[in-house]
Structures are given as C-alpha cells and as structure tokens.
Amino acid sequence: MPLRVKVRNAESGATVDMELEGENTVEEIIEGAAGYWEKDAGAYVLRRGKKLLRGQQTVADCGLVNQDELELIPDPEGG
Amino acid sequence: MSKAIRPGESDEDRLDRSRRIQWIDLERLSDSHCLVVGAGALGNEVVKNLVLSGVKRITLVDMDRVVRSNLNRCVFFSEDDTASDNFKSEIVAQRAGELSPGAEITPLVARIEDIDLNALARMDVAFGCLDNVAARLHLNAHTYHLGIPYVDGGTYGMAGRVQVVIPPSTPCLQCGMNRTHFKVMERRYSCTGNEASFYEPKMPAEITTTSVVAAIQVREAVKIMSGREMDCIKHILHYNGLTNASENLELSIDPQCPMHSSDNR
Ligand SMILES: [Zn+2]
C-alpha cells in the first residue's frame, strides 16, 4: 500500500506530494524532488524533523508514515 | 607577600577578555596544533579566528594562487597578491601571523591528497575549508582513521553547513552523503578523468555567510580543545542566511560506511 508524504523545498518553501512504496530509498526521494523543482545540479539532503535521513535508507527503514513532512535542503559544497 | 594588582593591567593582556569565559582552556589552545585545509574564503576566516582565539600552531594547506574574484570575501588578500600571483597559503600564513606575535603558521603549497599522512597524526583538530567533495572525503577518511576531530564547513550563496566529526563516536562526512554528492564529484572529473581538465563550476559566495560558517567551525574547535566535546553540534548544523535560521540535525552512523568497520578503529 503506497503512502503519501509532503516534501518541502527549503529554498523556496514550495511543497509537493510524493507517493512512495516501502522499498523506495531516500536517494530516490531526493532526486525525485530535485528533478521536480528543476534544481541546479548539486548535492542535497533530506530531513524529517530533527533527523537527516541517509541516502540508502528505505522508506520502511526510516519508518515514514502517511502525511509525513520531509524537507529537501541543499548541502553546500563551497569553501 | 601577595601579588599586587595595578589599575589597567587587565588591558595589557591580549587574551584577558577570553580568560573571562572560564571554560575556554587557553593553555590547551596555545599548545594545540590545528590543520586547516583550504586557504580560500573559509580558510582565511578560520585562520583569523584561530589566531585571535589564542591558537599558536597552524598548518595551512592550499595549492592555489590568489585571484581577483577571491577579494570579495578573503580578509588577508589584496590586489597586489593577484598581480604577484602569490600563493594563498603563504599570504594567509604571513598576514595572520602579524595578528599574533609568536604564532607559527606553516603554509604548505600542495593538495591535501599529496601531504604526508604521518604529519596529520600530530594534529589536535582538522578543519575542512574546501570546495569539493573528493578532497573532503579524503580528509574525512584520514582524520577518522587517525582519531582526529574534524570540523568541516561548506557554503553556497547564503546557505551554510558545519559538521563536527569526533571519531569514533560520531558519524563521519561520508555517512551523510548520498548519490547527489557522488554525482557532483563525478561531474567534476567527467571530461577526461584527467585532473588537468576537470570541470570546476563557479559557486555563488559572499562574506557574511562565510564569516558565520567559519566562526561556528572555530567555536566548535575551541570547545573540542577545551574538553567540551559534549557541547558540540550533533551532528550537522544547517544555516540559512536569508532567514537567519539555523538547525542542528542528527545523523546516524551508516553501517555500510567504511570508516566505522572494526578494521578502521
Ligand atoms: Zn561514516
């Protein structure tokens, strides 16, 4: 049974709903959201509340539930 | 006979105001040896803050020369340095040294990948002031292996990030990376795989975000050098300069990350 989460764009505040299966990975969510907003090619991370989700974790590993809110954050590389 | 005080004597001690923050261990700061990798915008600010905080020994690694586009955010560089093609690490070492007589700042004109790793083993704290994922991963791997605390900073426009890695208890840089980081790294080497022709995107950067990120990096290192690791960021601070919001986000150790296998401890 797919679940539906809301992903927020930390830079613009925009949100998008995303439908996920238990085996989808965090990397897939990041790439899906970054692609939807046509973001610059760069590094991004995903947070749920106070926790950063690791790329290879699955939706099931992270314990995501219906209506969860996630945030896509750019991971700055410059120095 | 007890020691007599003189009016105004506290103003003769350059670290008097720091001494009033009682948990800062100025003796340990003075005895510590810090490695700063990158003498660009973050490197300038980190070295300035370290020297003013009372750190005396710094090794600074950077292979690049000063260019004009550095001058909007690098306190130690001048027009003359661009005209003279000066090396960044040498200029920062020279001018930061003038801020604190007795400071020993050793510039190394080199890539971090070319540094003798035995030299790293003597460091108390390492700072990542880099502009690419590959060099960060290199520094992360060696500092984690050697058990050296690593404070990494990054900026992009008005966004910033600081990660504090204290081996073996915290996650490392690699634990927090995903496919988007590795794609950025691949793109840099995508032309021929030859370093001489690698693609280097120009990133937006300005001084206020650089200053904030570098200040947090040095503040965390001062905590580490003063034995206050428990008060450090756990584990990554993200800063948004547009809203002035910052948040500490927790990361867990990736069981697949090679830094945390028993062989590497
Ligand atoms: Zn790791």
Side-chain angles (χ1 to χ4, degrees):
Chain A
M1 180 79 174
L3 58 91
R4 211 176 163 101
V5 300
K6 196 177 282 302
V7 183
R8 180 178 302 279
N9 179 338
E11 292 170 288
S12 67
T15 61
V16 63
D17 286 345
M18 200 178 275
E19 215 169 75
L20 299 169
E21 303 285 348
E23 66 269 23
N24 282 130
T25 63
V26 168
E27 285 173 332
E28 289 171 336
I29 302 173
I30 290 173
E31 288 178 336
Y36 174 79
W37 283 305
E38 298 178 341
K39 291 226 166 250
D40 294 342
Y44 295 90
V45 292
L46 194 68
R47 70 180 257 194
R48 180 198 194 200
K50 288 281 188 188
K51 289 194 189 321
L52 278 174
L53 305 180
R54 294 198 321 271
Q56 289 169 0
Q57 286 181 298
T58 64
V59 165
D61 292 338
C62 300
L64 296 190
V65 295
N66 237 347
Q67 308 303 323
D68 256 343
E69 285 210 10
L70 310 175
E71 189 173 48
L72 184 74
I73 310 172
D75 206 19
E77 192 200 355
Chain B
M1 195 157 51
S2 62
K3 186 176 177 285
I5 59 166
R6 284 181 294 110
E9 72 177 353
S10 65
D11 286 340
E12 292 167 16
D13 172 6
R14 63 180 293 133
L15 292 172
D16 174 79
R17 302 304 189 265
S18 301
R19 283 184 218 290
R20 291 164 194 267
I21 302 172
Q22 292 184 352
W23 62 263
I24 296 181
D25 189 338
L26 288 170
E27 203 167 319
R28 272 182 70 181
L29 263 60
S30 174
D31 289 342
S32 293
H33 191 164
C34 293
L35 173 71
V36 179
V37 185
L42 284 176
N44 267 253
E45 290 289 308
V46 162
V47 172
K48 177 203 74 180
N49 292 340
L50 283 174
V51 165
L52 293 178
S53 297
V55 172
K56 296 281 186 197
R57 284 188 301 158
I58 300 168
T59 297
L60 177 61
V61 182
D62 196 301
M63 64 177 294
D64 289 333
R65 296 174 191 272
V66 179
V67 295
R68 207 135 188 255
S69 60
N70 300 140
L71 300 183
N72 75 331
R73 60 198 186 284
C74 296
V75 67
F76 293 123
F77 299 161
S78 68
E79 291 282 355
D80 286 349
D81 297 320
T82 68
S84 307
D85 245 3
N86 288 331
F87 285 109
K88 290 178 178 178
S89 58
E90 292 181 344
I91 295 302
V92 174
Q94 179 196 322
R95 301 207 175 123
E98 291 165 8
L99 293 178
S100 172
E104 293 169 36
I105 308 171
T106 307
L108 297 177
V109 178
R111 299 161 72 237
I112 184 61
E113 292 87 340
D114 299 330
I115 299 294
D116 174 10
L117 298 174
N118 292 323
L120 291 187
R122 297 193 299 270
M123 302 295 167
D124 295 286
V125 181
F127 293 86
C129 301
L130 293 152
D131 64 358
N132 70 88
V133 172
R136 280 193 173 89
L137 283 177
H138 181 89
L139 187 56
N140 172 67
H142 291 292
T143 51
Y144 209 94
H145 178 69
L146 292 164
I148 299 167
Y150 173 34
V151 187
D152 186 71
T155 65
Y156 187 92
M158 299 195 83
R161 178 185 57 79
V162 177
Q163 181 167 359
V164 178
V165 180
I166 303 178
S169 59
T170 71
C172 74
L173 246 66
Q174 193 166 336
C175 289
M177 290 190 181
N178 59 58
R179 206 152 58 207
T180 59
H181 296 85
F182 296 107
K183 281 186 177 168
V184 166
M185 198 160 77
E186 278 167 23
R187 259 194 309 278
R188 282 174 168 266
Y189 290 90
S190 62
C191 302
T192 62
N194 180 332
E195 196 188 329
S197 62
F198 79 87
Y199 166 62
E200 192 175 13
K202 304 299 178 200
M203 285 178 262
E206 54 80 53
I207 183 61
T208 64
T209 305
T210 299
S211 297
V212 169
V213 168
I216 295 169
Q217 283 182 274
V218 173
R219 188 186 302 148
E220 296 310 291
V222 167
K223 292 176 193 170
I224 292 168
M225 289 184 273
S226 299
R228 301 278 295 215
E229 291 91 341
M230 69 295 241
D231 293 323
C232 284
I233 294 164
K234 294 180 192 64
H235 300 100
I236 305 179
L237 176 142
H238 275 270
Y239 170 75
N240 178 339
L242 271 177
T243 60
N244 277 315
S246 66
E247 273 205 87
N248 288 1
L249 298 177
E250 288 171 35
L251 179 68
S252 54
I253 287 178
D254 179 357
Q256 306 298 317
C257 175
M259 294 307 113
H260 313 284
S261 71
S262 53
D263 295 348
N264 204 42
R265 283 184 187 156

